[in-house]
Amino acid sequence: MTQPKSMRLDRLLANLGYGSRREMQMLARNGWIKLDGQALRGIDQRVPLTREFAARLNIDGEAIDPIPGLVLMLRKPVGVTCSHKEAGELVYRLLPERWRRRDPAISTVGRLDKETSGLLLMTDDGAFLHKVIAPRAHIPKRYLATLESPLRGDEGGVFASGTLMLEGEEKPLLPAFFEIISPCEAAVTITEGRYHQVRRMFAAVHNHVKALQRVSIGGLNLPDDLEPGAFRVLDERQCAAIFAGAAASSGHSG
Ligand code: URA
């Protein structure tokens, strides 16, 4: 999806979830929508869809929400599902209520399973989403796994081999990079996104993952000071970091 370059202001605010276009017109008539601190009585003019312009706007004294083209990182807690419709706690509930009414809607960039925590990207930008999850993108994703049994010592070789076949699949896994952290902890970097891939890789070497956390996607690391359930909007530099190293990683061992 390519974002338009400009949009009527009433439509932009309605698309951000503030209310209907009619309600936006009412807010404007009451002087609640301001540009550079001056009340805007008419909001049917087209405005540039840039972060610089959006920074000049406020509603009822508050900066407006991030404009379309939003990418954020969230520290997903254990027990939360990456889905719009399943029962239980959903990752979308961790976002501000108004953000759930945005058009285009915000989606997760791939998924983490319910019991996996850590770095989850979310975006309303379909083109960005596909660029990250496209199978040929080979963006490295690093996970920390806590294991039930001590490592045997041969896992690195098995994971790097490019021949490991997961149960029920027909194509072997691409080589993955493996680091031992302690007898029952390891880091694994994969460049694919198969179903429950890391858990199934350890099952293939007769171990069991007790806890799994994603700590980086490409060159973007999960910040230590981001609390479970909290999120941060990414700037352009952080978005670009996601793709750093992706080309070097394709068809290799990581
Ligand atoms: N591998 C898993 O097993 N689970 C995830 O959520 C991601 C990778």
Side-chain angles (χ1 to χ4, degrees):
M1 175 185 56
T2 316
Q3 309 294 344
K5 292 202 164 43
S6 68
M7 187 180 277
R8 277 176 58 132
L9 182 53
D10 55 353
R11 177 179 292 282
L12 171 63
L13 298 177
N15 286 359
L16 291 176
Y18 283 97
S20 65
R21 283 166 71 183
R22 180 187 284 258
E23 286 165 338
M24 295 305 95
Q25 296 287 355
M26 265 166 49
L27 288 188
R29 276 199 295 276
N30 289 327
W32 288 19
I33 300 178
K34 292 190 175 153
L35 177 67
D36 298 328
Q38 298 293 312
L40 278 178
R41 303 285 164 182
I43 54 168
D44 49 7
Q45 77 272 27
R46 290 185 83 85
V47 295
L49 279 185
T50 61
R51 289 186 180 191
E52 293 71 27
F53 182 80
R56 297 167 54 197
L57 283 168
N58 71 58
I59 300 187
D60 194 14
E62 302 247 335
I64 70 160
D65 293 340
I67 59 170
L70 166 68
V71 181
L72 59 89
M73 64 171 148
L74 181 139
R75 183 188 282 263
K76 179 191 166 300
V78 169
V80 177
T81 308
C82 294
S83 161
H84 277 291
K85 42 182 191 277
E86 280 169 47
E89 274 194 72
L90 305 180
V91 81
Y92 296 99
R93 295 277 154 84
L94 298 170
L95 301 181
E97 209 261 336
R98 181 168 56 236
W99 292 25
R100 295 183 230 144
R101 296 194 297 271
R102 288 170 66 109
D103 178 14
I106 298 175
S107 311
T108 63
V109 179
R111 288 175 171 212
L112 288 176
D113 69 57
K114 186 173 175 186
E115 300 313 321
T116 298
S117 62
L119 179 57
L120 180 70
L121 298 175
M122 300 178 85
T123 187
D124 63 2
D125 183 339
F128 171 84
L129 187 151
H130 287 111
K131 202 171 152 197
V132 177
I133 65 170
R136 65 176 181 286
H138 294 301
I139 293 182
K141 285 153 288 209
R142 186 165 192 264
Y143 294 84
L144 298 183
T146 306
L147 303 158
E148 192 159 273
S149 310
L151 292 159
R152 304 187 307 204
D154 64 342
E155 293 86 351
V158 175
F159 293 168
S161 68
T163 58
L164 178 60
M165 196 74 91
L166 293 180
E167 210 177 304
E169 300 214 355
E170 288 171 359
K171 248 178 94 182
L173 292 179
L174 289 175
F177 185 69
F178 177 79
E179 295 152 81
I180 297 174
I181 294 173
S182 75
C184 287
E185 287 174 302
V188 181
T189 304
I190 59 175
T191 58
E192 301 171 274
R194 302 208 203 171
Y195 181 71
H196 288 190
Q197 181 168 335
V198 176
R199 292 177 192 278
R200 291 163 74 211
M201 285 167 70
F202 281 103
V205 291
H206 308 289
N207 211 327
H208 175 72
V209 173
K210 289 202 302 185
L212 187 63
Q213 179 182 202
R214 181 156 68 192
V215 291
S216 67
I217 301 178
L220 181 74
N221 297 323
L222 182 65
D224 289 339
D225 61 352
L226 190 64
E227 297 290 323
F231 69 87
R232 238 169 243 173
V233 174
L234 301 190
D235 60 25
E236 277 177 27
R237 192 182 48 79
Q238 290 169 312
C239 287
I242 293 164
F243 303 100
S249 77
S250 43
H252 76 5
S253 67

